[in-house]
Amino acid sequence: MDSGEDAAQRPLTLDIAGVGNEEPEAHAPSEVAAISSQPNSTDVLFPEESIDLDAEAFISPQDDSAASGSMMDKLNDQMMESVLISDSPNSEEDDVPIDSLLEQGEDKESLDSKEPEEEKKEDVKEEKTEDMVTANQAADVGAPTPDSPKGQEEKVEVAKATAKEEPIPVCTIFSHGMQPKTLVPDGFQPTLVKSPSFSSGTNETPNKLAPLVCQPSPSLSKFFTDNGTVNPASDFFDSFTTSSSFISVSNPNAESPKAVTPSECQLSSGSSTVPSAEHQDAGTPSAYFSIGPQDSTPKPVAGPAEPAATMTTLQAVFSGSDDPFASALSLSEVDKRYDAWLPSEETRRVLISVATQQVNPVYVERDRLSMPGLKFDNLQGDAVKDLMLRFLGDQAAMKRQVLTANSVEQNFLGLKQLISTKNWRAAVDLTGRLLTAHGQGYGKSGQPTSHTTDSLQLWFVRLALLVKLNLFQNAELEFEPFGNLDQPDVYYEYYPTVYPARRGSMVPFSMRVLHAELPQYLNKPQESLDRLHSMRSVCEKILTNLEEGLAEDGSMMTLTQENRQASIQLWRSRLCRVMYSMANCLLMMKDYILAVETYHSIIQYEPQQRVQLLSGIGRIFLQIGDIRTAEKYFQEVEKTCEEKGTGPAQDTSVLMNKAFVYLSQNNYAEAHTCFSSILKIDPKNPVANNNAAVCLLYLGRLKESLGQLESLVQQDPALYLHESVLFNLTTMYELESSRSMQKKQALLEAVACREGDSFNTQCLKLV
Amino acid sequence: MKAKVHSGLSQHKMDVNQAKQEHLLALKVMRLTKPTLFTNMPVTCEDRDLPGDLFGRLMREDPSTIKGAETLMLGEMLTLPQNFGNIFLGETFSSYISVHNDSNQVVKDILVKADLQTSSQRLNLSASNSAVAELKPECCIDDVIHHEVKEIGTHILVCAVSYTTQSGDKLYFRKFFKFQVLKPLDVKTKFYNAETDEVFLEAQIQNITTSPMFMEKVSLEPSMMYNVTELNTVASGKECSESTFGKMLYLQPMDTRQYLYCLKPKPEFAEKAGVIKGVTVIGKLDIVWKTNLGERGRLQTSQLQRMAPGYGDVRLSLEFIPDTVNLEEPFDITCKITNCSERTMDLLLEMCNTRSVHWCGVSGRQLGKLSPSGSLAIPLKLLSSVQGLQSISGLRLTDTFLKRTYEYDDIAQVCVVCPYLSPES
């Protein structure tokens, strides 16, 4: 066993020449040469030399999470990271080209996605500090830092250290000088902490204390603080790192929707007549697209009469075969139930005055109106195709066929088609076109407009898809003109002529949920919680109204018993949805106590989800590391399942929970058995299949694990071309051989055949 | 390394080409931290909304959602670790080592060795040190190594592979993987000496990692002289006791928690109070924590030491004293006098009245000879003439052998109340 001082004298390490070796390119050849030039190399196969431990060259992968400002970025790009351990700079010895590509992934600098220049700087820094390290270490051991609050104890340690011969490494944990003084109570002693295994066997008296005291070097303590403050979050989200690769494409020149080509117009005209406020004769689509209705409107604010015209035409246009709004009037009861909302007092006053015709909506202040417009033009693009072009060539990329906004009908039907084929980027584009047609196109934000049921539904779909695509900034930008979704013009009462006798919110409830959830993905979870809480109180108020025999909005309208029950049911489920969002948000904030409480309280609203919720709470506890409490919840799950009677679904949940407990006890073999027994009940269970494969890897059975995942992806791509599965698979490819690139490209081809343009290509780890 | 070649070091590039001796085997290493649970992002709509049940269907078809509760964010799908992460002192470093035959020839006598180099030592972590006779193309040698990390600072995992090609060449290559072991906890301790021989230990434990930490066990292992009582639970009437930290036993990053322990000297040591003198070893804290999916860590503090309060040659402690007494009413206390010196003493007790405390009985009484470590219990009577919290002072012991006087003031406090309460109350 070499002591640190010995290491200093070894040739490989400390002198300046040795420092050169820190750079792999210089190091590798010399080393290889040395070995191959030794004819009698059999006895020196494993030269035992020590490597200098360079305390200054401190790049832990922790840094990369520091770079990630927002929690959501992490979620966003959860499939980004290479998994392999960071390779030290002086490590490269084999230089297979593909390998070197991979090594790049292994290298910690590339984990941080920094530029090569930085890496170089790092090396230079290493060189400079290299020779100082031993001196520093010696100084550290020899003289306790004077500013340390526990100089005395250190001295004791050090004295013993020099007295003792045999090195028993013990690390002292000292409070650092940089801790706020006020927080350090008088008389507290920093306490030596070491791994218990060291003490075993030795007689534990203070005199036997360790000779070698590792103190945090200045850089070390700096490192601690830096990470403590900059990077407060690192648990399971931690591994998801930054750098969003999907940057929205906004076209600043797209003032007028000239992007639309005549051919597109023909497509759009195929199924729909095109509405326009002024141009009722606008049967020609080009006219419709090139001149938005508002462009030619001379008045600054749309009066009620004009929207009337627009509305009717628009509704005529948008009404697809399964449009629930087509027969809206006949469904007034249902409408009322779904549209109910409680506006703020101020908004309510405006709405009342509009209804009583005291105020013409024309005179409502501008800043009380929602004036949305597209903030970016085109998302276009298909990351899968880009990757194919790059790795598989033009020919292969040509084969990639996905639907685009041009290839479907320019209406709700086409939109649905794009969504269901997972071409969400194209779908966003299509919503943009339809909204442009409504006069809320690019650059129209801040211009007076009028809303319809359909326009708000379009906005909802667009924003929801942006969130699904992890384009949170874009969604926030476009949400912004809507304010808090409580402006008078998003209520039906604001348009008494267009929607006579219709009351309530035009903004769909789901859009409010989306609006409330959005900030948490942008690292503003408190804002999300605030919005969710106010939604919750509205839901509760409406429920109270209903239970007290009033209508949803608290008016004295009489409801039939049937309608009242339906309404209570609806609002309960909505309340429940809000609670779910709150719990999810709290979970992201790592406020586990409140998250668990909230999930638990959902059970009373959704008793049929009891098993899933209790299991979910159990998993939260496993994530924290509290296995005992997790087991308590899992037992409750078992009890519930027994009451329900045994069925495959119940057995699956119980087994799944058991497997997670085994996993948390490091018992991968039993965990694997549990996952496998789920597969006996439900051979197609993708979670069990994937998890069983993961267990195999931890058991050191890489090839089997790979084989299992690979065959799953081949046999049932619909289920297994999921980013989590693909991420696991590519990670194992990287671990398996230097040829992972080819295998990943094969996966890309599989993805190309099935997935739409919204596929998150990062999980393939091709770039 | 590609990144460096890009950085424009043409000289290095040349070196790379020169050294381009392709190895037949490839070595890959991956740290096996616990897998993580996939979280999905629920985006929902209602049936009446434009997409109808489309969003719902998409979520139901997504294999990573919880069936029947798709809006639950935390899924069940395990994903492999996505970066190296952090490793902390006391945790176990696990790593997958895979040696793969990339070539199309059979390779013989493969020896894979994994060593961990720290600043002070070098450990062999390989499960087996015997060579593998042969490795066919596209096959691999797998090893999962585990090591409980016992040092802070830089660690280097050194993986060495030696093998023989078909043509009989013996080849060898190594790879180095460097990582830093960080400090997970900040522990501070403070001792409080009680009137009796009891010692209270307050330990502040701060989580200085960046993830929540479940404190599975924080216990004090006392040294042989003490018995310990943990004061970290609140007895809630019944058998079950509740932790003072509430329901959740986890520590958020940078949170600190205070643990309190009461240490009582074992009777055999307590009787000879003189034994516990100067610096004494109290015991050590044993801390076990868990993080994501049961990732475990364990640390012990060094032996905690305390400077026992000095009692001089003679120690006077109180065996019995009431907490509340009536004004101007005599009450009893019992003093214990212990000879802490190495010689026999002949003691004389004097009692001096103070402004509030009046001693009853004879002052200047002979207590007789007291041998080293011997002790005497003396009942005394006194009364207080002032209400409120009163300090008991004024005892004087004189060793007649050495003509040395020891003064004992502020021995204890009693609360003096007036028994004749005003009639209205």
Side-chain angles (χ1 to χ4, degrees), chain A residues 525-537:
Chain A
Q526 279 300 346
E527 206 169 307
S528 274
L529 274 188
D530 288 349
R531 291 178 183 178
L532 289 168
H533 270 290
S534 74
M535 281 187 77
R536 181 185 172 172
S537 64

Side-chain angles (χ1 to χ4, degrees), chain A residues 2 78 81 192 194 739, chain B residues 82 102 120 122 300 302:
Chain A
D2 298 317
Q78 47 191 280
E81 278 307 296
L192 209 64
K194 66 182 186 308
R739 308 237 167 79
Chain B
Q82 315 192 6
D102 282 351
S120 68
R122 190 178 175 118
Q300 274 183 351
S302 60

Side-chain angles (χ1 to χ4, degrees), chain B residues 44-94:
Chain B
T44 59
C45 68
E46 293 176 346
D47 292 345
R48 278 173 54 106
D49 289 331
L50 195 160
D53 72 332
L54 259 184
F55 284 177
R57 214 183 68 212
L58 286 172
M59 279 173 61
R60 280 193 300 277
E61 283 169 3
D62 184 334
S64 67
T65 54
I66 303 294
K67 300 298 164 282
E70 284 82 7
T71 19
L72 187 64
M73 221 176 188
L74 185 62
E76 291 173 328
M77 199 76 115
L78 290 173
T79 47
L80 291 172
Q82 315 192 6
N83 55 24
F84 184 83
N86 295 321
I87 180 149
F88 295 98
L89 188 68
E91 289 184 342
T92 300
F93 171 75
S94 303

Side-chain angles (χ1 to χ4, degrees), chain A residues 344-530:
Chain A
S344 68
E345 196 47 48
E346 204 181 333
T347 303
R348 220 162 68 98
R349 269 202 302 268
V350 175
L351 291 177
I352 288 170
S353 57
V354 170
T356 53
Q357 290 178 330
Q358 286 167 349
V359 177
N360 188 316
V362 178
Y363 301 118
V364 174
E365 295 160 59
R366 273 177 71 104
D367 59 353
R368 296 282 303 136
L369 297 176
S370 313
M371 294 176 286
L374 305 186
K375 292 285 173 103
F376 53 94
D377 205 25
N378 245 322
L379 277 182
Q380 292 291 335
D382 174 10
V384 177
K385 189 161 190 167
D386 294 347
L387 281 178
M388 292 177 86
L389 272 173
R390 188 163 155 190
F391 292 100
L392 307 174
D394 295 346
Q395 287 253 272
M398 289 293 280
K399 285 185 218 147
R400 164 88 170 157
Q401 293 293 336
V402 285
L403 291 174
T404 63
N406 289 336
S407 51
V408 296
E409 291 178 55
Q410 305 292 297
N411 57 18
F412 286 4
L413 271 184
L415 188 56
K416 284 183 180 178
Q417 197 184 345
L418 289 176
I419 295 172
S420 61
T421 51
K422 294 196 189 166
N423 288 300
W424 299 337
R425 288 171 174 267
V428 169
D429 288 345
L430 183 54
T431 57
R433 286 185 195 175
L434 297 174
L435 284 165
T436 307
H438 187 68
Q440 296 178 344
Y442 187 81
K444 300 290 182 191
S445 172
Q447 294 185 20
T449 180
S450 57
H451 301 283
T452 65
T453 313
D454 288 345
S455 74
L456 279 163
Q457 282 290 340
L458 274 174
W459 275 112
F460 163 61
V461 172
R462 179 179 174 85
L463 294 165
L465 290 174
L466 287 175
V467 169
K468 269 172 146 353
L469 286 165
N470 293 349
L471 296 168
F472 306 116
Q473 265 98 4
N474 301 44
E476 191 185 39
L477 263 176
E478 296 199 336
F479 247 130
E480 195 252 307
F482 285 103
N484 54 358
L485 301 178
D486 187 49
Q487 281 139 339
D489 61 344
V490 294
Y491 290 89
Y492 285 111
E493 290 96 320
Y494 191 76
Y495 309 98
T497 43
V498 190
Y499 297 106
R502 204 163 164 185
R503 297 163 61 94
S505 164
M506 277 183 172
V507 178
F509 181 81
S510 316
M511 184 163 164
R512 293 186 188 273
V513 174
L514 191 73
H515 176 252
E517 283 178 335
L518 182 60
Q520 70 182 326
Y521 304 128
L522 291 159
N523 217 14
K524 294 181 278 191
Q526 279 300 346
E527 206 169 307
S528 274
L529 274 188
D530 288 349

Side-chain angles (χ1 to χ4, degrees), chain A residues 90-109:
Chain A
N90 55 346
S91 64
E92 278 300 302
E93 295 197 20
D94 56 339
D95 285 292
V96 190
I98 301 168
D99 196 15
S100 66
L101 245 178
L102 274 171
E103 301 305 339
Q104 200 188 347
E106 289 174 25
D107 194 84
K108 50 190 155 259
E109 272 95 356

Side-chain angles (χ1 to χ4, degrees), chain A residues 1-6 160-170 198 202 208-214, chain B residues 118-123 151:
Chain A
M1 197 182 295
D2 298 317
S3 76
E5 278 84 306
D6 278 350
K160 281 160 196 159
T162 45
K164 259 295 210 171
E165 298 271 69
E166 195 197 345
I168 304 170
V170 169
F198 269 122
T202 55
K208 299 264 171 163
L209 275 177
L212 210 140
V213 180
C214 294
Chain B
T118 71
S119 57
S120 68
Q121 54 183 327
R122 190 178 175 118
L123 303 152
E151 279 180 73

